[in-house]
Amino acid sequence: MSTATSLMSQPKDHGMIIEKDVQIPLRDGGYIYADIFRPDTQAEKFPALANITVYNKDKLWVPPEDLEEEANPYMTWEAANPVWWVARGYACVRIDSRGTGKSPGRCDPSSYQESLDFYDCIEWLAKQDWCSGKIGTLGISYHAACQWRLANLNPPSLKAMIPWEGRADQYRDQAYHGGIFSMGFFGNWVNQHMARHLLGRTRRYNPDSFSPDMLWQYLSHDLDSEWWRMCSARWDQIQVPVYSVGNWGGWGLHLRGNTEAYLCAASPHKKLRIHTGDHFRPFHSNEGKVDQLRFFDYWLKDMQNGIMDEPPIKLEIRTGGSKKPYAFRFENEWPLARTQWTKMYFSIERERTPDEKHTEGRLVTDALSTAKQMSYAGSNPNKAGIGSGSSAPGIGRSGISFVTDPMTKDTEITGPLMANLWVSSTAEDMDIMVTLRNFDPDGNEVFELGQQGQPVVLTKGWLRASHRKLDLEKTLPYRPYHAHNERLWLNPGEPVECQIEIISTCIVLKKGHQLRVDIHAQDSAGSGNFTHFHADYNECATHTFHSGGAMNSYILLPIIPD
């Protein structure tokens, strides 16, 4: 046993008490239900790990056979395994959010009201006679995102949190990527969970559950406002110790929240971990649970295990194409202090073609003196033609592509990125989709493993041109921050400068490999579940990309020296 693991809570066979459907009172006179799993002993009091969920606390998850954590009848989706944690001296508490599962009331997922309810649950749990008074929060995805909103309120008994792959800004991370509605994921999420409640077993005991008007609310609040801030992280208010855990394959939903947390949260005690793999295996892996346990042991049990003396950043360094975990590397800051911020300019060199493998130019390190431009369609036709009434995807490429020369040596790109692009359109608005891809010397794309186990590209960035206004107080040289509070419409044919936030990435491009950057008007290669509603601005419009001269479009890359 290593020194680190020897200083962790060790499993004890003291049995487990299971309390089902425990009624927890709320400040407004209502109540919600929870399941509590805790050690069967009165010899000591224990800290609790809590999560609040709209996924139904009673719904069993049967994991795949190759999960490192052994299956048992108490496992639920994206939540901690009580059998493992109770043996190590922790209680696990699962709470059905108001109006979901067994809890009565009006369902309002990812809301300020849910945060107040979670706060009340935390403080109620801390007062139970079996509890030490110290509470932590743990869970993946929805169970991570709700932790940011809880932490805004700073409940006194919340002593530590691990938001594992958790979006934090409901507008920027989930609903509106660059101001473009993320219809694919969100529409499916709402419909799936409404169907699970109303057409599944939940209907037997809570027939009115899961009845939010989320889709209408999200669509009607299409600019950022206090409505969105109420249900998002407020970094200046978060003081609790936080271990923010991201996934390099999570650029479509969660990764931005985890890196922003480390960058911006007011907490003086922060750690950041970014791994690879699907959405649940790292969480249930032995290596992942060691990180979780050491963090909670330190903050909830006062065990001096040295975890807060270690470098605060732990990154899995991708070297290309593996379906298994890569090696981790520790760092001291984010972004990395030794980053060589490198501008690569878009050089237009060839005519555009519809061939997916074709590139229109190169990425070069020197600014270009000659101004050039290239146009492409804002909307590609499908079998039904072009029209907003059609839901069929477009046929063919919807933009242009650029590629570096082959790498002369292994080259690491790790950190946040941005693209500074000059564009114009015949319409009053346009969508800009930026995709980074890795190609080997034979021209084959090298994919990484996504959160749903699918092959994914390196990363993406998005912007609707009318949303190009920056919040200058929050913008950083490597991470533009868009205000999203008004629309700056385009004048036909008039170029504008757009800074596009590209979600952080990590890749070692091997010698001979090339980085390719696609600039498209529609969702393109590797979008997967994270597709967007492109609105009617793009229909039959001609978009133009400008490069060189006074409009030198470039991408800023975080190159890490050897």
Side-chain angles (χ1 to χ4, degrees):
M1 182 181 294
S2 68
T3 301
T5 55
S6 67
L7 295 175
M8 300 187 313
S9 293
Q10 299 302 315
K12 296 180 180 179
D13 187 16
H14 43 42
M16 182 167 68
I17 294 174
I18 303 173
E19 298 178 272
K20 296 287 291 183
D21 301 331
V22 176
Q23 191 177 102
I24 300 180
L26 305 174
R27 66 185 68 185
D28 62 0
Y31 58 87
I32 51 182
Y33 287 111
D35 292 345
I36 300 174
F37 305 81
R38 57 187 177 88
D40 186 6
T41 176
Q42 297 180 352
E44 58 181 305
K45 295 178 182 288
F46 300 95
L49 305 179
N51 67 275
I52 195 166
T53 180
V54 297
Y55 293 165
N56 190 343
K57 65 178 177 59
D58 295 310
K59 185 172 176 57
L60 174 67
W61 175 52
V62 181
E65 293 183 357
D66 62 350
L67 193 75
E68 283 189 49
E69 193 156 35
E70 186 176 352
N72 63 70
Y74 311 112
M75 298 183 80
T76 59
W77 176 239
E78 297 181 342
N81 172 14
V83 171
W84 195 87
W85 284 97
V86 168
R88 286 158 178 81
Y90 289 85
C92 286
V93 183
R94 296 176 185 152
I95 308 158
D96 274 341
S97 183
R98 192 183 295 229
T100 72
K102 287 184 177 174
S103 293
R106 185 183 181 279
C107 175
D108 196 6
S110 302
S111 66
Y112 178 71
Q113 180 61 57
E114 185 181 65
S115 305
L116 294 177
D117 293 349
F118 202 6
Y119 180 113
D120 292 348
C121 292
I122 294 293
E123 293 308 309
W124 182 87
L125 288 167
K127 294 179 175 64
Q128 301 312 297
D129 57 8
W130 50 263
C131 185
S132 68
K134 294 184 177 182
I135 310 296
T137 52
L138 175 66
I140 313 171
S141 193
Y142 192 97
H143 302 149
C146 65
Q147 297 179 50
W148 305 122
R149 295 185 293 276
L150 172 69
N152 292 341
L153 307 176
N154 285 294
S157 302
L158 179 64
K159 303 302 182 183
M161 56 188 281
I162 304 181
W164 193 281
E165 301 184 29
R167 61 193 179 274
D169 187 321
Q170 290 292 98
Y171 186 91
R172 291 166 179 80
D173 299 355
Q174 173 176 271
Y176 286 90
H177 292 152
I180 311 169
F181 185 58
S182 185
M183 174 75 86
F185 172 81
F186 185 70
N188 180 65
W189 186 91
V190 172
N191 291 335
Q192 281 281 343
H193 291 289
M194 187 175 296
R196 289 180 190 275
H197 277 78
L198 299 181
L199 301 178
R201 292 171 178 163
T202 312
R203 191 182 186 100
R204 299 175 187 172
Y205 47 81
N206 198 350
D208 298 323
S209 63
F210 208 92
S211 57
D213 59 346
M214 290 182 74
L215 193 55
W216 190 92
Q217 291 289 350
Y218 276 36
L219 288 168
S220 64
H221 291 89
D222 58 332
L223 291 177
D224 196 12
S225 65
E226 185 63 13
W227 189 89
W228 289 104
R229 297 307 94 216
M230 290 287 287
C231 61
S232 297
R234 294 182 185 265
W235 299 124
D236 61 331
Q237 297 178 14
I238 295 178
Q239 300 290 336
V240 64
V242 56
Y243 199 156
S244 182
V245 180
N247 185 326
W248 292 123
W251 43 257
L253 184 60
H254 295 302
L255 179 56
R256 184 183 184 276
N258 291 115
T259 55
E260 284 289 286
Y262 188 80
L263 199 62
C264 304
S267 171
H269 306 291
K270 298 182 289 188
K271 294 180 75 70
L272 174 67
R273 163 195 164 114
I274 309 179
H275 53 244
T276 66
D278 60 24
H279 207 26
F280 58 90
R281 281 183 174 83
F283 180 79
H284 291 280
S285 70
N286 294 327
E287 179 273 333
K289 287 184 296 185
V290 165
D291 280 355
Q292 298 164 28
L293 183 59
R294 293 184 70 217
F295 190 74
F296 283 137
D297 276 350
Y298 182 89
W299 289 106
L300 303 185
K301 292 187 175 183
D302 299 321
M303 293 178 65
Q304 300 304 305
N305 53 25
I307 189 169
M308 300 307 294
D309 299 325
E310 297 168 357
I313 314 291
K314 181 178 179 180
L315 306 177
E316 201 172 314
I317 305 300
R318 299 192 299 190
T319 54
S322 176
K323 294 183 180 180
K324 296 181 179 180
Y326 299 95
F328 279 101
R329 186 177 72 206
F330 287 96
E331 297 288 349
N332 291 309
E333 64 285 306
W334 180 266
L336 278 59
R338 65 184 183 281
T339 302
Q340 297 175 350
W341 297 103
T342 303
K343 291 181 179 179
M344 299 206 75
Y345 297 88
F346 294 91
S347 174
I348 299 173
E349 298 178 357
R350 291 175 286 277
E351 294 296 321
R352 184 180 181 278
T353 79
D355 183 359
E356 166 61 27
K357 294 185 178 181
H358 183 74
T359 58
E360 282 67 30
R362 292 186 301 138
L363 288 163
V364 298
T365 54
D366 295 327
L368 305 165
S369 58
T370 303
K372 293 183 180 182
Q373 63 184 51
M374 179 165 285
S375 297
Y376 54 92
S379 58
N380 282 356
N382 53 53
K383 293 180 180 179
I386 294 177
S388 58
S390 172
S391 60
I395 301 172
R397 288 174 76 214
S398 63
I400 54 180
S401 302
F402 298 83
V403 68
T404 63
D405 291 335
M407 298 293 149
T408 57
K409 62 177 182 178
D410 290 0
T411 303
E412 181 180 339
I413 300 172
T414 295
L417 313 93
M418 65 86 72
N420 195 95
L421 307 182
W422 285 87
V423 297
S424 60
S425 178
T426 59
E428 70 268 40
D429 212 345
M430 64 182 288
D431 292 348
I432 308 167
M433 313 293 225
V434 180
T435 304
L436 273 64
R437 306 165 71 180
N438 175 12
F439 282 83
D440 71 16
D442 296 322
N444 301 310
E445 185 162 9
V446 180
F447 292 101
E448 300 299 328
L449 187 63
Q451 288 178 305
Q452 286 76 41
Q454 81 283 24
V456 295
V457 295
L458 295 178
T459 189
K460 284 182 179 281
W462 314 264
L463 184 67
R464 181 156 284 171
S466 64
H467 287 245
R468 64 189 179 277
K469 174 185 172 183
L470 296 173
D471 182 330
L472 296 179
E473 291 186 358
K474 296 180 179 178
T475 289
L476 298 169
Y478 48 81
R479 195 269 281 127
Y481 193 97
H482 297 93
H484 295 301
N485 58 6
E486 64 174 321
R487 295 180 181 84
L488 306 178
W489 300 113
L490 302 178
N491 295 319
E494 180 181 314
V496 297
E497 186 178 21
C498 295
Q499 291 190 16
I500 300 168
E501 177 184 9
I502 300 173
I503 307 303
S504 298
T505 196
C506 173
I507 186 64
V508 177
L509 295 170
K510 294 293 189 180
K511 180 179 179 180
H513 283 229
Q514 294 173 286
L515 176 68
R516 171 168 156 165
V517 178
D518 296 343
I519 301 170
H520 283 182
Q522 295 180 334
D523 292 305
S524 59
S527 296
N529 297 326
F530 301 101
T531 55
H532 300 79
F533 181 72
H534 293 284
D536 50 7
Y537 307 120
N538 300 281
E539 291 167 10
C540 299
T542 298
H543 300 332
T544 301
F545 176 81
H546 301 265
S547 177
M551 293 180 283
N552 250 314
S553 295
Y554 64 86
I555 186 170
L556 183 67
L557 300 178
I559 305 296
I560 308 303
D562 293 343

